Amino acid sequence: MTTIEIPHAYPAFECGICGELQNIATRIRLPDCSHTVCKECLTGFATTKIDEGRYPIFCPECIAERPRAIRTQVNEEIMQQLDLPEEQRSRLQELQLVTHCISVQCPSCKEIMNVDRAEFGEHNILVCPLPRCAHKWCKCCLKALASSQDRHRCKNGNIERLMKRKGWKYCPGCRTPVQKEMGCNHMTCGTPGCNVHFCYKCGALMIDTTNGGDVGTAVTDHYNECRLFDRKWKCSIQ
Ligand SMILES: [Zn+2]
Ligand SMILES: [Zn+2]
Ligand SMILES: [Zn+2]
Ligand SMILES: [Zn+2]
Ligand SMILES: [Zn+2]
Ligand SMILES: [Zn+2]
Ligand SMILES: [Zn+2]
């Protein structure tokens, strides 16, 4: 006796990633854009993005056809539905954390900690969360403070004034202060999850590689239009 296989004898839909007819039970519809993809494809897509340290993750179909500002994000609810391996799940949590936090290094124990971005903006005095350290310092001048000390007359005033004085710049993508060590004025933001390259001279965003793009071309384009860019520095990426 032979069985005849009937292809797609289940209610099917066309997945926007693999382009195949898939069982409707595996369909994931992204909110806002209503693009539909199969669970397997979206899991693979999200795994790759997480491995590349990219967050937020955008709808793969939107990436192909829409400018960044109107792309749908793969939200938390959809992430939960995916079969992400354990490793990527915890990496995702880290990436989510750093987009809301900035990394601060304790000047005493050198431990890197995550501080809430809004909170960091409000307070000038920071305390190391490690109990064995508990170092207290002023974020503006890095001066160590006694544990009982809640006030400190800072010679640097506030972070904005300090940044001006030292010539530091905020990354236009994630607003983390960046200090130029040496070399070319093309800056690559080192904050995990931020994929922004920017000009240290004028502060302009040159390219956000979250969804790919050619850094060399973007740097060259900026070289040509930026009046502040110091041309004597040749960028290694060009
Ligand atoms: Zn698919
Ligand atoms: Zn979409
Ligand atoms: Zn510490
Ligand atoms: Zn201070
Ligand atoms: Zn950044
Ligand atoms: Zn510039
Ligand atoms: Zn460079």
Side-chain angles (χ1 to χ4, degrees):
M1 190 180 129
T2 46
T3 0
I4 301 160
E5 260 191 66
I6 308 163
H8 314 305
Y10 42 76
F13 77 101
E14 192 184 323
C15 166
I17 302 180
C18 60
E20 314 235 322
L21 287 178
Q22 299 284 2
N23 191 331
I24 211 148
T26 71
R27 181 177 67 179
I28 292 177
R29 185 190 292 276
L30 287 133
D32 304 330
C33 64
S34 296
H35 285 134
T36 49
V37 292
C38 77
K39 186 167 150 182
E40 197 187 329
C41 283
L42 192 60
T43 301
F45 178 80
T47 304
T48 311
K49 293 291 164 196
I50 294 166
D51 284 342
E52 292 170 357
R54 292 179 176 176
Y55 185 83
I57 296 169
F58 294 98
C59 161
E61 280 201 83
C62 285
I63 288 173
E65 60 192 43
R66 297 178 178 197
R68 189 183 168 129
I70 55 164
R71 287 175 189 163
T72 300
Q73 277 186 30
V74 180
N75 64 24
E76 189 53 34
E77 202 186 317
I78 292 172
M79 283 295 190
Q80 293 298 339
Q81 295 173 39
L82 305 180
D83 300 315
L84 287 178
E86 197 46 51
E87 190 193 326
Q88 276 74 19
R89 254 197 211 285
S90 60
R91 179 89 181 98
L92 175 66
Q93 279 175 357
E94 281 171 33
L95 290 171
Q96 288 168 329
L97 192 68
V98 292
T99 43
H100 301 295
C101 299
I102 58 173
S103 300
V104 177
Q105 188 177 36
C106 168
S108 174
C109 69
K110 307 293 178 206
E111 198 68 46
I112 311 262
M113 64 196 85
N114 291 309
V115 182
D116 186 89
R117 205 170 283 280
E119 219 158 283
F120 183 81
E122 274 167 36
H123 305 285
N124 284 339
I125 295 174
L126 301 176
V127 179
C128 177
L130 292 184
R132 63 181 156 84
C133 175
H135 181 72
K136 199 178 207 177
W137 76 98
C138 165
K139 76 174 182 192
C140 303
C141 65
L142 302 184
K143 188 179 185 293
L145 306 175
S147 56
S148 58
Q149 205 174 341
D150 287 320
R151 264 166 211 284
H152 141 84
R153 195 186 288 247
C154 186
K155 58 175 164 52
N156 285 325
N158 58 42
I159 188 87
E160 269 67 34
R161 242 185 286 165
L162 173 75
M163 289 194 46
K164 235 192 187 131
R165 208 163 54 82
K166 300 244 184 193
W168 295 353
K169 290 272 156 51
Y170 284 111
C171 162
C174 65
R175 308 299 298 163
T176 300
V178 181
Q179 179 184 15
K180 186 161 92 89
E181 300 287 342
M182 55 179 290
C184 100
N185 285 309
H186 148 234
M187 303 296 293
T188 307
C189 181
T191 306
C194 178
N195 310 292
V196 161
H197 295 252
F198 67 99
C199 172
Y200 199 75
K201 281 286 176 188
C202 69
L205 189 148
M206 299 199 287
I207 187 172
D208 179 340
T209 59
T210 301
N211 298 308
D214 184 47
V215 177
T217 308
V219 173
T220 306
D221 287 352
H222 189 77
Y223 254 126
N224 293 334
E225 73 187 24
C226 178
R227 280 170 299 126
L228 301 172
F229 214 108
D230 189 349
R231 279 158 212 275
K232 81 169 182 273
W233 290 111
K234 239 336 192 178
C235 174
S236 59
I237 206 152
Q238 275 190 296

